[in-house]
Amino acid sequence: MKKTLFAIFCLSGMLAAQETVAPTVDEKVGPPRGESKGDYNIVQSWELGYRFAAVGGNADKYRSDVNYHDGIRLLGSNLTVNSKDGHGRWFDEIVLSTQGLGNDPYEAATLRVQKNQLYRYDLLWRQNDYFNPGLTVANGEHLETTRHGWQDHELTLFPQSHFRIRAGYSRVAENGPALTTEQEFDGRSDVFPIFRKVRRQFNDFRLGADGQWKGLRFTVQRQWEYFKEDSADSLTSTGALASFQRAQPYRGTTPGWMGNVYGEYKWIALTGRFTYAGGRGAFVQNETAIGTDRFGSAQNRQVIVTGNGDRPVVTGDVNITIFPVGRFTIINHVSASNTRMTGNNFFQQFDNKTFSFSSVNFQFLGVRLVTNATDVRYRFTKTFDLFGGFRYADREIRSIEDSGSPGTALDGISASQSNHTKAGVGGVNWILMKYIRAHAEFEVGRNDNPFTPQSLRDYHAARAKVQYRKKTLLLGGGYQDNYNDNSIQITAYSSHARTYQGEGSWNAKSWVSVDGSYSKLHLDTIGGIDFFAGSPRSQEVTGLQSIYISNIHAANVGLRFAVRQYADLYVGYNLTKDTGDGRSGLATQATAAAQVFYNAQTFPLTYHSPVLRLSVRVTEKLRWNVGYQYYGYREDFGLLSVNQNYRANTGYTSLLWAF
Amino acid sequence: MFKWVTLMRPLTILRLALLALPLCAPAQTAPKAENKFVGSAVCKTCHPDVWLNFNKNPHFRSIASGKEEPAKTGCEGCHGPGGNHVAAGGGKPTIRAFSQMSPDQALNTCLECHSKDVARGFVRASAHTEADVVCNSCHSIHKSQSPKFLLAKQQTQLCYSCHAGVRAQFDMPVKHRVNEGSVQCTDCHNPHGSAAPTWKTGTSSAMLAPAHDNEMPCLKCHVDKRGPFVFEHASVRVEGCDNCHMPHGSTNAKLLRRPVVFTLCLECHNGAGTFGRQNAGVITQSATHNMLDPKYQRCTLCHVRLHGSNVDPMFLR
């Protein structure tokens, strides 16, 4: 009995097992402590500790990547309560696990409470301290330090019945300070950092039911989504921009329906699905700026914009699987979707130069997509099967862009285009030997009118994988590539991505195990560009290309070692190293414009993180844990003259109490 | 002493013939005892290790209810009737052992009960099924490491065991916080398969779990990027977020596909060909934007609302 309870405890602890330095709840804690209270069995563990972090170098980048900081934490906890006979009075199961409570940047809790045949309730709660300065893309002038929280609640009544009722609620909230930028008062003048107070809320309510009739299972769900944003921007006196205030409240609602039918019979399975969502948003924007323009003249401006946007989305899918004999399967999936995005606004600007300006704007973007995928599979033997298929898609995009003065007739720019996708897929599953299995697949396709120069046009993808698995030993290797050639007369874009990977794990004994993996991710792209550059006046430049080459070597290894029941040790190491295109520095280019793009062709860096965890048994119920993790980030040469290098020593010490 | 003549006796010949009969006749033609249901209580006699903890297994509900037919109750609900197995004193050939099943058989066995949820509606068409990754490849009924969903390992480790390349992306400096326990693979993916997406060309789903109204799963969390906006950045809606972002992890800020933003923007905004919403090329940057000026190399300094704007067609506010 004790062994079983011990196993249960370990398993529940594994739920929160982390790659990062804490919590330590996957370590063993003496004999298990399952307690019986009446008709229930209770197993629980709590890990309380102190986390520390010492950072050198670019602290903003550390906060963006890692963000662990000092403080007392409930690093992890697990509680399971189970009825012994499945006939508990109020519930039959409670499963609760938490992580990082007490101000860790990544806090989470899950809860399940259920009573057999009567109800099941699931909760998932998460909260992140989100920090991102966007250094290389915005010169450090963009920053978010917000708290991002999620909740998901699901209640199912009669979960084992043919008729079920489901209700759900989800919430996403983001609050906190941020930094953005604003360009005033014309397109060539200065850009100013603006303080923003972020306030966003998303609430989603769901109500649905499942039923069964003559072997067909039906699902109907009604959904109401509400989004509101009340972020506000403000600034007082930065010289040229003396004052700036902006409010932009937004209210969105998306009522929707979802219906699903599923039937599975002796030789055929059918899935049909229908969804409708009628997204609608309304907004007001009111901003006032006072300062001086680039010529030194006093300037003030008020902008008021009102309007709304609509986006109804209708989708339908039918998936039919036919398996007349066990070894032969035909699958056909037909899908259709229609998305219509329309928006209009009334723009009014008042300033002391032009005095007033107003316009009305209308935009429509419609995407209609019809797809069909047919797959055939034949299993020649128990160890060998082939599959192949054909994909076809017809996408039509319609667009209307319109703008003008109020009271005048609008004659917008309308356009439509269609794209046809034709692709063939195929592959094989093969158990080569008793413990060795291989999988290979490919896709070759063509889009005749891709939407952007980066989109897939002539493309192919291939993937192969071999795995050896025998009891405690797992070895695997794989290869994957994705090639795209989107060349046309004026510009050419091509992308080659290749991934090589190998992984292995060996649970040699109950007290020692090792696992690791290595991946090489190669990417090279080249695209035609057209831009303006030059001194003193900019000229159009068309002869250059945008090139990007990345060669990332990623490896991780971990070793677990236990000294009987007295201590557990984990030693690990993660490495990400982008060797770029092999250059050791930035060479001088023929022109200044060429230099700008040459500098951004590759981004070699090294990011590595050794980790050490030790867990020592103090008593049967108590264990002392300590962990250390180092984070080192180093760019071979900075981009846009921004140095983001940092190094951080982080760790924790904790007591784990389990009973 | 053995005498050959003994073999020639009629009775001995009859005995030998009876002994050889099973070798000549196919097994299925032999009269077979009916394989009867014996009930889970019998199983625990030889499998106490499984039974001891089975009350915490979701499949225990079929026993607790007491209303299910024998073919859907307890051990025999999955392993089939155990009569022959008991009579033979055990052995895998006499029972439906998942370790002996082909992937198809394992899938079919589980779907006898588990096909009623919407989330598993496309399981037979999923890329996992196509690659012979079926229920018992990820779920462990008797040795699960998670009370919910009976996963064989913690979810992240389970996915990593095949997708090492994805693991490498989550180990990068800029990533979604999967290793930190804040995000899970199933927040964005449905490992049981999904319907055709409504973005890109709708032909390759990557088993994504769509967001609220069949949008990209990114918008489940990044709700402020959702709109609808008066001025949609068309490529976001048509091609999806991964046109510019690496969803798992990247060495670049904001999970971008390029380390600096201007190369990313200019690779599309080059005016070439039949691209874009007007089918006449994606507009080039303004002639006033001198790329030698660092300000213009950071496109998002001015185009701050580039996921979509309600105010400005150039996404300036």
Side-chain angles (χ1 to χ4, degrees):
Chain A
M1 182 66 179
K2 279 191 171 182
K3 280 186 177 177
T4 306
L5 293 173
F6 177 67
I8 296 164
F9 169 73
C10 290
L11 298 182
S12 60
M14 289 295 281
L15 277 176
Q18 300 303 309
E19 287 300 300
T20 45
V21 74
T24 321
V25 286
D26 57 338
E27 310 293 356
K28 298 169 185 173
V29 185
R33 312 300 301 180
E35 290 188 359
S36 290
K37 298 273 187 186
D39 292 333
Y40 292 98
N41 177 266
I42 305 169
V43 180
Q44 53 188 318
S45 70
W46 307 87
E47 184 179 7
L48 184 69
Y50 183 82
R51 190 191 288 285
F52 65 88
V55 184
N58 192 321
D60 280 356
K61 176 66 173 162
Y62 166 79
R63 289 192 63 192
S64 179
D65 291 351
V66 185
N67 210 18
Y68 286 120
H69 41 269
D70 298 347
I72 295 173
R73 310 277 187 265
L74 180 61
L75 292 166
S77 70
N78 289 282
L79 167 70
T80 61
V81 182
N82 288 91
S83 65
K84 294 175 180 173
D85 59 0
H87 294 288
R89 182 177 174 85
W90 302 108
F91 62 89
D92 287 307
E93 182 183 46
I94 295 177
V95 179
L96 170 68
S97 63
T98 69
Q99 172 200 308
L101 299 187
N103 219 23
D104 238 6
Y106 314 109
E107 299 175 81
T110 62
L111 172 68
R112 166 171 282 191
V113 183
Q114 66 175 342
K115 170 91 182 76
N116 291 341
Q117 300 186 70
L118 188 60
Y119 71 87
R120 181 174 66 224
Y121 169 73
D122 283 296
L123 162 69
L124 174 60
W125 174 87
R126 290 177 279 190
Q127 187 159 273
N128 280 13
D129 288 341
Y130 180 80
F131 185 91
N132 196 319
L135 285 169
T136 56
V137 295
N139 200 31
E141 291 180 332
H142 279 201
L143 183 148
E144 289 178 74
T145 174
T146 61
R147 177 156 280 189
H148 211 151
W150 300 264
Q151 296 176 43
D152 289 296
H153 305 260
E154 289 287 343
L155 175 66
T156 306
L157 298 180
F158 320 119
Q160 279 92 56
S161 165
H162 289 323
F163 178 74
R164 298 185 293 185
I165 298 173
R166 291 179 286 103
Y169 168 66
S170 297
R171 177 183 174 87
V172 180
E174 188 175 15
N175 295 284
L179 196 63
T180 184
T181 42
E182 174 70 18
Q183 189 176 37
E184 298 288 345
F185 288 94
D186 61 53
R188 295 191 186 185
S189 58
D190 293 331
V191 177
F192 303 97
I194 305 288
F195 295 108
R196 166 167 290 176
K197 187 178 180 184
V198 174
R199 287 179 61 200
R200 297 179 183 128
Q201 274 187 26
F202 171 83
N203 292 287
D204 174 24
F205 302 89
R206 301 177 294 278
L207 186 62
D210 301 330
Q212 188 169 328
W213 182 70
K214 290 193 174 180
L216 288 174
R217 297 179 177 95
F218 299 89
T219 295
V220 177
Q221 181 173 290
R222 185 81 165 102
Q223 194 160 354
W224 300 268
E225 300 164 4
Y226 301 95
F227 173 72
K228 66 175 182 178
E229 174 157 9
D230 292 301
S231 301
D233 302 332
S234 64
L235 173 145
T236 51
S237 188
T238 59
L241 186 62
S243 171
F244 182 87
Q245 303 292 325
R246 176 160 58 196
Q248 43 185 176
Y250 179 94
R251 297 291 182 272
T253 176
T254 307
W257 284 96
M258 191 274 285
N260 194 79
V261 59
Y262 189 94
E264 177 131 356
Y265 302 95
K266 193 172 182 180
W267 55 270
I268 186 170
L270 168 77
T271 302
R273 194 186 65 132
F274 166 82
T275 69
Y276 169 79
R280 184 176 179 84
F283 65 92
V284 174
Q285 176 150 325
N286 184 0
E287 70 174 49
T288 306
I290 301 171
T292 53
D293 64 16
R294 62 192 170 109
F295 301 111
S297 304
Q299 178 89 56
N300 63 64
R301 182 170 73 181
Q302 183 176 15
V303 174
I304 299 174
V305 189
T306 59
N308 59 63
D310 294 271
R311 186 174 55 230
V313 182
V314 182
T315 63
D317 300 271
V318 176
N319 190 87
I320 298 174
T321 305
I322 301 170
F323 33 95
V325 291
R327 59 176 57 192
F328 183 52
T329 307
I330 304 172
I331 302 168
N332 196 75
H333 184 181
V334 184
S335 171
S337 65
N338 189 24
T339 305
R340 296 168 52 84
M341 291 161 272
T342 56
N344 61 78
N345 73 16
F346 179 39
F347 184 100
Q348 293 173 282
Q349 177 177 313
F350 308 94
D351 62 63
N352 64 346
K353 282 197 169 179
T354 60
F355 302 112
S356 68
F357 168 75
S358 61
S359 68
V360 290
N361 300 280
F362 171 80
Q363 290 224 347
F364 166 76
L365 180 66
V367 183
R368 192 260 295 142
L369 191 59
V370 178
T371 72
N372 186 81
T374 305
D375 290 275
V376 177
R377 180 173 180 171
Y378 190 79
R379 186 178 293 280
F380 289 88
T381 68
K382 208 170 179 178
T383 60
F384 182 81
D385 71 75
L386 291 174
F387 58 91
F390 182 72
R391 311 272 184 270
Y392 176 79
D394 182 340
R395 182 181 68 192
E396 183 176 17
I397 298 170
R398 290 189 298 134
S399 173
I400 301 172
E401 295 172 271
D402 217 334
S403 182
S405 300
T408 60
L410 301 178
D411 50 350
I413 304 167
S414 62
S416 70
Q417 57 181 294
S418 62
N419 174 73
H420 300 94
T421 303
K422 294 172 184 171
V425 300
V428 58
N429 292 301
W430 191 7
I431 300 176
L432 299 161
M433 296 167 63
K434 189 176 180 183
Y435 302 109
I436 301 177
R437 60 190 311 147
H439 170 82
E441 64 182 53
F442 72 89
E443 177 176 353
V444 180
R446 178 177 168 80
N447 289 299
D448 61 7
N449 191 11
F451 191 69
T452 74
Q454 290 187 329
S455 306
L456 296 177
R457 180 188 286 271
D458 290 324
Y459 68 95
H460 76 257
R463 181 187 300 172
K465 194 166 180 59
V466 179
Q467 195 173 67
Y468 173 88
R469 187 194 292 264
K470 183 181 180 184
K471 292 184 178 176
T472 58
L473 179 63
L474 170 70
L475 297 171
Y479 170 79
Q480 180 176 349
D481 68 36
N482 295 82
Y483 282 25
N484 175 34
D485 182 8
N486 193 350
S487 299
I488 59 168
Q489 189 177 1
I490 299 174
T491 184
Y493 179 84
S494 75
S495 168
H496 299 156
R498 293 187 294 273
T499 301
Y500 309 86
Q501 67 182 57
E503 67 267 353
S505 67
W506 185 33
N507 297 314
K509 301 284 183 186
S510 61
W511 49 271
V512 61
S513 66
V514 61
D515 66 82
S517 69
Y518 167 79
S519 301
K520 183 189 176 187
L521 299 94
H522 167 86
L523 173 68
D524 66 79
T525 65
I526 184 168
I529 46 178
D530 182 348
F531 60 99
F532 292 85
S535 181
R537 299 186 62 182
S538 61
Q539 306 287 324
E540 186 174 15
V541 181
T542 57
L544 291 175
Q545 292 172 315
S546 175
I547 295 170
Y548 182 62
I549 299 173
S550 167
N551 281 294
I552 296 174
H553 301 266
N556 66 79
V557 62
L559 170 70
R560 291 176 195 277
F561 187 83
V563 183
R564 304 182 69 179
Q565 73 268 40
Y566 302 115
D568 292 283
L569 179 68
Y570 175 80
V571 182
Y573 183 71
N574 287 339
L575 171 70
T576 300
K577 185 174 181 61
D578 189 344
T579 58
D581 60 359
R583 70 178 69 165
S584 57
L586 298 177
T588 303
Q589 299 299 296
T591 65
Q595 188 76 51
V596 169
F597 284 87
Y598 168 81
N599 290 355
Q601 286 177 355
T602 190
F603 188 33
L605 58 81
T606 303
Y607 179 64
H608 69 123
S609 181
V611 59
L612 175 73
R613 291 201 305 243
L614 176 65
S615 178
V616 179
R617 191 180 90 153
V618 180
T619 69
E620 270 192 8
K621 294 182 178 179
L622 194 63
R623 211 159 172 106
W624 171 70
N625 310 302
V626 63
Y628 168 80
Q629 187 158 12
Y630 173 83
Y631 298 92
Y633 176 87
R634 183 178 59 79
E635 298 170 7
D636 286 9
F637 38 86
L639 284 167
L640 300 175
S641 306
V642 178
N643 186 344
Q644 303 183 112
N645 296 349
Y646 67 85
R647 60 206 170 279
N649 296 286
T650 71
Y652 74 100
T653 181
S654 67
L655 288 173
L656 176 59
W657 186 35
F659 53 101
Chain B
M1 184 181 173
F2 180 80
K3 292 181 180 177
W4 283 101
V5 70
T6 308
L7 287 174
M8 302 308 292
R9 288 178 183 166
L11 191 58
T12 307
I13 291 171
L14 181 61
R15 283 173 181 162
L16 287 173
L18 286 172
L19 284 171
L21 195 59
L23 300 176
C24 302
Q28 57 266 35
T29 61
K32 202 173 183 179
E34 187 186 359
N35 195 4
K36 292 181 179 175
F37 291 97
V38 296
S40 299
V42 177
C43 306
K44 70 180 180 183
T45 309
C46 298
H47 301 282
D49 53 327
V50 175
W51 179 260
L52 205 56
N53 199 32
F54 198 63
N55 70 313
K56 298 181 179 181
N57 194 304
H59 296 92
F60 182 73
R61 291 179 206 134
S62 61
I63 298 174
S65 79
K67 298 174 183 174
E68 300 288 346
E69 55 184 296
K72 291 187 175 180
T73 301
C75 313
E76 292 170 306
C78 301
H79 294 286
N84 290 348
H85 185 66
V86 172
K92 289 180 178 176
T94 54
I95 196 83
R96 267 172 29 179
F98 281 70
S99 61
Q100 307 297 303
M101 290 182 187
S102 70
D104 289 343
Q105 291 168 328
L107 180 70
N108 290 336
T109 304
C110 298
L111 288 182
E112 286 174 15
C113 296
H114 289 286
S115 61
K116 60 184 174 184
D117 288 323
V118 176
R120 287 184 281 270
F122 294 93
V123 66
R124 290 187 181 277
S126 79
H128 272 159
T129 302
E130 199 165 57
D132 272 354
V133 177
V134 294
C135 315
N136 56 345
S137 305
C138 302
H139 299 276
S140 175
I141 307 307
H142 300 306
K143 295 178 181 176
S144 163
Q145 293 194 7
S146 73
K148 282 174 72 174
F149 311 125
L150 295 179
L151 296 178
K153 293 180 183 176
Q154 183 202 0
Q155 187 192 102
T156 309
Q157 300 303 322
L158 189 64
C159 301
Y160 284 168
S161 64
C162 288
H163 300 280
V166 175
R167 175 183 186 146
Q169 293 173 319
F170 284 121
D171 283 338
M172 290 180 182
V174 185
K175 71 275 182 181
H176 275 111
R177 301 310 201 264
V178 169
N179 293 338
E180 289 76 4
S182 181
V183 180
Q184 297 190 79
C185 307
T186 50
D187 286 333
C188 303
H189 296 277
N190 182 347
H192 303 115
S194 58
T198 55
W199 58 98
K200 291 189 181 295
T201 59
T203 53
S204 180
S205 74
M207 296 198 289
L208 290 173
H212 314 286
D213 50 4
N214 278 310
E215 300 166 308
M216 292 148 285
C218 319
L219 299 171
K220 290 179 187 174
C221 298
H222 301 279
V223 288
D224 56 310
K225 311 291 190 298
R226 189 179 176 211
F229 301 109
V230 174
F231 304 101
E232 301 271 0
H233 194 168
S235 66
V236 177
R237 280 287 154 188
V238 175
E239 291 292 342
C241 307
D242 62 342
N243 210 38
C244 299
H245 298 278
M246 302 278 283
H248 294 142
S250 169
T251 53
N252 307 321
K254 304 279 187 186
L255 291 171
L256 288 173
R257 289 187 172 273
R258 300 288 183 274
V260 291
V261 71
F262 65 88
T263 57
L264 190 64
C265 301
L266 290 178
E267 284 178 16
C268 278
H269 287 272
N270 59 14
T274 56
F275 305 112
R277 59 187 289 166
Q278 293 178 24
N279 208 25
V282 184
I283 57 170
T284 57
Q285 59 169 171
S286 164
T288 63
H289 290 26
N290 187 343
M291 288 304 292
L292 300 186
D293 183 344
K295 179 174 71 175
Y296 295 114
Q297 295 171 7
R298 293 151 184 141
C299 311
T300 53
L301 279 186
C302 298
H303 302 280
V304 291
R305 290 277 185 169
L306 81 169
H307 295 103
S309 170
N310 286 316
V311 177
D312 192 289
M314 296 295 168
F315 315 119
L316 294 173
R317 53 164 65 90

